[in-house]
Amino acid sequence: MLNRFPLWKNLMVALVVIVGFLYSAPNLYGEDPALQVSAARGVEVQASTLDEVKKVLETNGLKFKSALLDKGQILVRFTNTDDQLKSKELVAQALGEQFIVALNLAPATPAWLTAIGAGPLKLGLDLRGGVHFLMEVDMNEALSKAQEQLVQDFRSELREQNIRYAAVRRTGNDVVVVFRGQDEQQAGLAELRNRHKDLQLADSERNGQYLITATMSEAKLKEIKNYALEQNINIIRNRVNELGVAEPLVQRQGSERIVVELPGIQDTARAKEILGATATLEFRMVDDSADLASAAAGRVPANSQLYTDRNGRPVVLQKRVILTGNHIVDAKSGMDEYSRPQVSISLDSQGGNKMSSFTKDSVGKSMATVFIEFKPVGEPGADGKRKFRKNEEVVNVATIQSRLGNNFRITGIDNVQEAHNLALVLRAGALIAPIQIVEERTIGPSMGQQNIDSGLRAMGLGMIVLVIFMAVYYRKFGMVANLALCFNVVLLVGIMSMIPGATMTLPGIAGIVLTLGMAVDANVLIYERIREELREGRSPQQAISIGYERAFGTIADSNITTFITALILFSVGSGPVRGFALVLMIGIASSMFTAITGSRAVVNLLWGGKRLNDLSI
C-alpha cells in the first residue's frame, strides 16, 4: 500500500525521537553555582574532608543544596552566587594548600537523566566567559637543551668506557668531541655510533687534534620539536588542573603553538603566572677547590661555572648536573623547624636512584640547588617572537649529611607565597622550553551571557519566520515541516550533548541557524515535487510517494557536497571554525533524517492509506 511505513520503521523513528528528547532535556534544567574541591598531587580527598567542608559552611551560616564526594572530588551546590563566593575563601582557608578550591557551575540535571549518561551541552569560552591564550613554544631553546643533554651524555658514556677525551663542547648546531690521539678518537666513534644511531657522526683531524662532530638529522630535529610541544601541552594541562578549572581546553595548533582556554577564570594575571612559568631546578655539586676571588675575576676551572646566590655572593659549581627537575613527582610548600619557608621534594624511582648513587660517596660535601627561570625580555621582533633571558640563581647550598633518596627538602626561600608558587610549578612539571603568550583574550561572564541571549534570539527569530512561511505557503504539509524542524533542533542538541568533548560556541549557534534553513530547503524541494505531480494529474497518494522518492536524489546531492565542505573545514580549521563545522555536519545528518524519514512518517500517519481527493499543500 502506498505511503505506509512498516512497523519497524515507525518504531525506529519513535525511538530516535525519544532518545533525542532525553539527551537534550538536561539543557532545560540549567546549572547550580558550585564549589569544587580537589586534592593536590600526593593527597587524597576523603570523607573526613567532606565533613570538614560541611562543618565550615554550617558554622558560618552558609546554606548549600548538597555536598557530595564523587571520583575523588567534592562538589558543593549553592542556590546563589553570593554564598558560593563567600564559601570559597572560607573553605580554602580551612583546608590549606593541600587542596584546590575552585568555583564551578554544576549541571542541575536530575539523577535519572544522569544515570543514562545524559548531560547538558558544554559551553565554549565565548558563551561562558573566561580567558583565552595562544602560546608559542621557543623551539630554539628546546634544541639548545637537547644539545646540552648530548654534551652530558657524551661525557658520561666515554667516561664509563674509560675512553679519554680532551673536551666536549657545542659548536653552532653541532656537538664536537676533542681527542688527543687517533686511537681514542676511533674508539669513541665506535662507542657513540653504537649508542646514538639517530645522529650523524663524522671524524676529522685539525691542527693535531682528533675530532668527532655529531650532527642531528632532520628526523631527529623534528622529533625534538614534537616532543617539546607535546610535553609542554601535558605540563600545561597539569598546571590547569592545579588551577582547578572546570572543562578547560588545551590543544595543539600548528607545529609550535598551543591554545589554552580556561572557562570561568577571570584572574588573568594569576593564570599567566602559573601557565607561563618555566621554573625548574638543577642539583649540582659545589666546587670546593675553586678560589672564589679568582672565580669572581673570571678565572673559573674548566669543568666549573660561576653562579651567584640570592644575596649576590659568588658560588662555583661543577658543570655536571646531578639531577634535573624532570624527575620531580611531587613538591609541597611548608615550614621547617625554624619556621622558615621550605619546599619538600619527592623524586621518581629513576631520580631517587640517581640521587642515592651520587650522594653515597659525597657525604660531607656541599650540594647546591639552582633555580632556573626563563623570562621574556624586550618587545617582539620582526617575526613576532620575543627573546628570553635565562636566570640562574643558587637558592640553597647544603652539606650532604647522609645518603639521599627519593625525598628531601630545599630551604633558603624568601617567603611563603614564593614557596607555594615554586611547589605548584614543580609539582605540575617544568616546561621543556619557554613559551610566550602571543594572543590573549578575556571574556567576562556577562559578555558570555549576552552572546547566548543574542544567539538564541537570532535562532528564535529565524524559527518564527520559517514556521510562519511554511504554515502559510504549504498549509498542513507546512505544519508537518515545522514539526520536523523543531525535532531537528532537539536532535541536534541531543547529539551534541552526547558527544564527549563537543563544545557549543557562538559560531556553533550560527551553524544551527544555517541548519534550520537547509532543513526547510529539503522540505520545500519535496513539497514542490508533490505539487508538480498533482498538476500532471497524479492522484494524491501517488503524488506524495513520487514526490518523496524523486526529491531524495537532489536533497542527497546538495547535502553531501555541503557535508564534505564542512568536513574539510573541521579537518584544517581551528577553534571557532571547527565548532561551526562540527555543528554543521551534525545538523546536515539530522536534517536529512527529519526532513525525509521523520516528516514522511508523519505524512504517512496522517494521509497514508486513505482515499484523498486533494491535499492541503
Side-chain angles (χ1 to χ4, degrees):
M1 187 179 295
L2 284 176
N3 303 321
R4 296 296 295 270
F5 271 171
L7 179 61
W8 69 267
K9 189 171 283 190
N10 285 322
L11 291 175
M12 179 196 71
V13 173
L15 179 63
V16 173
V17 170
I18 293 170
V19 171
F21 272 102
L22 283 176
Y23 280 88
S24 61
N27 295 283
L28 301 174
Y29 292 93
E31 295 175 314
D32 292 328
L35 203 65
Q36 178 180 297
V37 180
S38 54
R41 190 178 300 181
V43 185
E44 185 179 354
V45 177
Q46 300 176 338
S48 58
T49 313
L50 176 61
D51 293 337
E52 187 175 355
V53 171
K54 288 181 178 179
K55 183 178 178 181
V56 170
L57 297 177
E58 290 169 354
T59 302
N60 289 275
L62 295 172
K63 296 181 180 180
F64 55 94
K65 293 173 65 176
S66 64
L68 299 173
L69 173 60
D70 184 36
K71 297 179 181 178
Q73 290 186 336
I74 294 173
L75 189 68
V76 186
R77 297 172 182 267
F78 298 89
T79 54
N80 57 73
T81 54
D82 290 339
D83 289 343
Q84 177 200 30
L85 294 173
K86 292 176 184 177
S87 65
K88 181 182 186 298
E89 300 298 329
L90 294 170
V91 171
Q93 185 177 359
L95 296 182
E97 296 180 356
Q98 292 183 324
F99 296 91
I100 302 163
V101 182
L103 300 176
N104 199 352
L105 289 174
T109 308
W112 65 274
L113 281 174
T114 306
I116 62 173
L121 273 171
K122 296 179 180 65
L123 299 181
L125 201 68
D126 51 358
L127 299 181
R128 194 172 187 180
V131 183
H132 166 96
F133 294 122
L134 179 61
M135 299 177 165
E136 188 169 74
V137 180
D138 185 353
M139 290 302 176
N140 292 330
E141 184 61 33
L143 295 176
S144 176
K145 278 191 173 185
Q147 290 168 344
E148 286 290 350
Q149 187 60 49
L150 271 182
V151 170
Q152 298 290 338
D153 291 344
F154 283 3
R155 286 173 177 162
S156 299
E157 290 159 5
L158 294 173
R159 197 179 294 118
E160 286 176 8
Q161 300 300 319
N162 294 320
I163 300 173
R164 301 183 66 183
Y165 61 90
V168 182
R169 60 175 180 265
R170 290 172 52 196
T171 304
N173 294 324
D174 301 331
V175 176
V176 177
V177 188
V178 183
F179 298 89
R180 292 190 175 89
Q182 188 174 14
D183 292 340
E184 288 88 352
Q185 178 200 45
Q186 294 305 311
L189 182 63
E191 177 64 24
L192 295 179
R193 276 181 174 167
N194 183 51
R195 294 193 183 219
H196 300 276
K197 300 185 184 300
D198 53 354
L199 295 178
Q200 298 171 357
L201 299 169
D203 56 336
S204 60
E205 188 269 334
R206 189 183 307 154
N207 299 328
Q209 292 184 325
Y210 296 88
L211 312 176
I212 295 177
T213 303
T215 305
M216 296 183 185
S217 63
E218 288 298 323
K220 180 66 175 178
L221 292 173
K222 185 177 180 181
E223 178 187 336
I224 291 171
K225 290 180 179 180
N226 281 333
Y227 175 76
L229 189 64
E230 293 300 326
Q231 284 297 103
N232 274 2
I233 288 174
N234 290 334
I235 291 163
I236 288 176
R237 284 199 180 109
N238 290 337
R239 294 184 180 183
V240 168
N241 292 336
E242 294 285 349
L243 286 171
V245 180
E247 300 174 4
L249 172 69
V250 181
Q251 66 182 20
R252 175 175 182 162
Q253 184 178 95
S255 59
E256 297 184 0
R257 292 186 170 185
I258 302 169
V259 174
V260 181
E261 292 187 351
L262 308 175
I265 288 288
Q266 299 302 315
D267 189 351
T268 310
R270 170 67 171 164
K272 288 170 66 174
E273 178 187 1
I274 298 303
L275 294 180
T278 53
T280 187
L281 295 178
E282 286 182 353
F283 301 96
R284 300 175 184 241
M285 294 303 297
V286 176
D287 189 348
D288 296 320
S289 63
D291 180 74
L292 292 180
S294 300
R299 296 186 294 275
V300 183
N303 292 322
S304 298
Q305 186 175 347
L306 179 64
Y307 291 85
T308 57
D309 63 14
R310 298 203 155 184
N311 297 315
R313 294 174 298 200
V315 182
V316 180
L317 306 182
Q318 296 179 9
K319 288 184 178 179
R320 183 184 177 186
V321 178
I322 303 171
L323 201 70
T324 64
N326 296 338
H327 295 286
I328 296 174
V329 296
D330 194 17
K332 299 177 184 177
S333 61
M335 309 296 284
D336 62 12
E337 59 270 21
Y338 302 106
S339 298
R340 295 176 300 192
Q342 70 171 23
V343 176
S344 300
I345 304 290
S346 296
L347 304 176
D348 58 18
S349 58
Q350 184 181 4
N353 290 336
K354 280 186 177 181
M355 183 64 77
S356 177
S357 62
F358 189 88
T359 56
K360 70 177 182 180
D361 299 323
S362 303
V363 175
K365 298 181 180 179
S366 298
M367 182 176 72
T369 304
V370 183
F371 177 72
I372 302 173
E373 186 175 19
F374 291 88
K375 291 186 176 181
V377 293
E379 296 297 323
D383 57 356
K385 297 184 178 181
R386 299 177 70 179
K387 296 191 178 296
F388 287 85
R389 181 179 70 248
K390 186 177 182 180
N391 290 339
E392 297 178 298
E393 187 178 47
V394 177
V395 297
N396 173 261
V397 175
T399 303
I400 300 174
Q401 304 289 347
S402 60
R403 184 175 182 176
L404 301 178
N406 292 67
N407 300 287
F408 57 95
R409 62 182 181 173
I410 58 174
T411 55
I413 302 170
D414 289 343
N415 54 65
V416 174
Q417 184 60 39
E418 184 180 349
H420 174 67
N421 284 349
L422 176 60
L424 190 155
V425 172
L426 295 176
R427 186 164 61 240
L431 293 174
I432 300 301
I435 58 176
Q436 60 175 315
I437 297 173
V438 296
E439 181 181 305
E440 174 187 334
R441 295 199 305 269
T442 302
I443 301 173
S446 58
M447 177 64 73
Q449 187 60 47
Q450 184 179 346
N451 288 338
I452 294 175
D453 295 339
S454 300
L456 292 178
R457 192 180 305 115
M459 190 169 65
L461 290 173
M463 282 280 290
I464 291 171
V465 171
L466 289 174
V467 166
I468 294 173
F469 171 80
M470 294 300 290
V472 171
Y473 198 75
Y474 292 108
R475 303 174 189 174
K476 291 182 180 179
F477 272 75
M479 296 306 296
V480 173
N482 290 335
L483 183 64
L485 191 65
C486 294
F487 175 59
N488 185 31
V489 176
V490 171
L491 188 59
L492 195 157
V493 172
I495 294 173
M496 285 287 292
S497 301
M498 292 168 65
I499 298 176
T503 304
M504 179 59 69
T505 60
L506 196 58
I509 294 179
I512 294 178
V513 176
L514 178 59
T515 299
L516 296 178
M518 296 177 62
V520 169
D521 183 54
N523 285 115
V524 168
L525 289 173
I526 294 170
Y527 294 167
E528 288 300 324
R529 190 72 193 196
I530 293 174
R531 282 179 167 182
E532 287 181 11
E533 297 301 327
L534 289 172
R535 284 194 292 266
E536 292 180 3
R538 305 279 187 184
S539 68
Q541 294 293 353
Q542 288 177 324
I544 293 172
S545 179
I546 295 172
Y548 271 97
E549 289 173 3
R550 294 186 178 177
F552 177 78
T554 305
I555 296 169
D557 288 343
S558 63
N559 280 279
I560 288 172
T561 53
T562 308
F563 188 91
I564 292 172
T565 304
L567 184 61
I568 294 172
L569 283 175
F570 185 80
S571 301
V572 303
S574 61
V577 176
R578 287 172 64 92
F580 173 80
L582 177 62
V583 173
L584 187 57
M585 286 190 292
I586 296 173
I588 290 170
S590 64
S591 65
M592 284 283 288
F593 176 81
T594 57
I596 298 174
T597 307
S599 68
R600 182 72 184 274
V602 177
V603 168
N604 287 353
L605 288 173
L606 295 176
W607 290 285
K610 298 178 181 178
R611 290 185 178 273
L612 302 172
N613 295 322
D614 60 357
L615 290 176
S616 179
I617 193 172

